[in-house]
Amino acid sequence: QVLLVESGGGLVQAGGSLRLSCAASGRAFSSYAMGWFCQAPGKEREFVATISWSGGNTYYTDSVKGRFTISRDNAKNTVYLQMNSLKPEDTAVYYCAASTAGWALLSYEYDYWGQGTQVTVSS
C-alpha cells in the first residue's frame, strides 16, 4: 500500500556529505514513523535513525549521533537523512522504512521498505 523510493546515495570521500531522500506514496504519510536502516556487506541490517509521525521526536544509533540528521516534510511525503562527516564504516546500502505506528525503533515495527540506495565512503 505504501511505496518508498530512496535516492541520493553515491560515492564520497571520508569527511564528505550526502543527503538521502525517501519519497513515499499514500495519503497517510503524516501518521507514519519513518526510519533509516543500513546493511553493509556480510552484515545484518542495522538501525540508523527514526523520526516520529509529527517530526517531534528523533532517535539515532550511537555511531551516527552528531553526524546524521533525520527530518521529514509531511507536505511532500518525504523523509531525509543528512549525512555529514562520513566515515568508511558508514559504507552500506541504506533503506528507508515506514511504520504505521507513530514511533518505531526496531526493524519488526516497520511495515514498508524501500529498495535501498548505496552509500560508499572511501578513504
Side-chain angles (χ1 to χ4, degrees), residues 2 10 25 37-38 47 52 59 61 86-87 95 100 112:
V2 176
S25 67
F37 293 76
C38 67
F47 170 80
S52 63
Y59 189 79
T61 193
L86 282 161
K87 304 175 180 179
Y95 296 90
T100 54
Y112 307 101

Side-chain angles (χ1 to χ4, degrees), residues 1-113:
Q1 187 173 338
V2 176
L3 178 65
L4 305 175
V5 180
E6 301 99 330
S7 62
L11 173 64
V12 297
Q13 295 278 351
S17 297
L18 287 172
R19 188 187 70 162
L20 307 184
S21 298
C22 174
S25 67
R27 285 81 185 136
F29 176 80
S30 62
S31 70
Y32 300 156
M34 299 296 296
W36 288 96
F37 293 76
C38 67
Q39 187 167 23
K43 296 185 177 181
E44 64 185 5
R45 188 171 296 182
E46 298 180 346
F47 170 80
V48 176
T50 191
I51 186 166
S52 63
W53 66 270
S54 66
N57 291 295
T58 59
Y59 189 79
Y60 303 88
T61 193
D62 286 344
S63 64
V64 308
K65 288 180 179 177
R67 300 189 298 120
F68 292 7
T69 302
I70 188 170
S71 62
R72 68 191 297 161
D73 186 339
N74 287 346
K76 297 182 178 179
N77 279 17
T78 302
V79 64
Y80 305 95
L81 186 68
Q82 180 66 47
M83 309 167 71
N84 298 328
S85 301
L86 282 161
K87 304 175 180 179
E89 49 263 49
D90 297 320
T91 295
V93 176
Y94 284 75
Y95 296 90
C96 175
S99 173
T100 54
W103 179 249
L105 298 175
L106 304 175
S107 294
Y108 79 85
E109 297 178 289
Y110 287 85
D111 305 288
Y112 307 101
W113 295 82

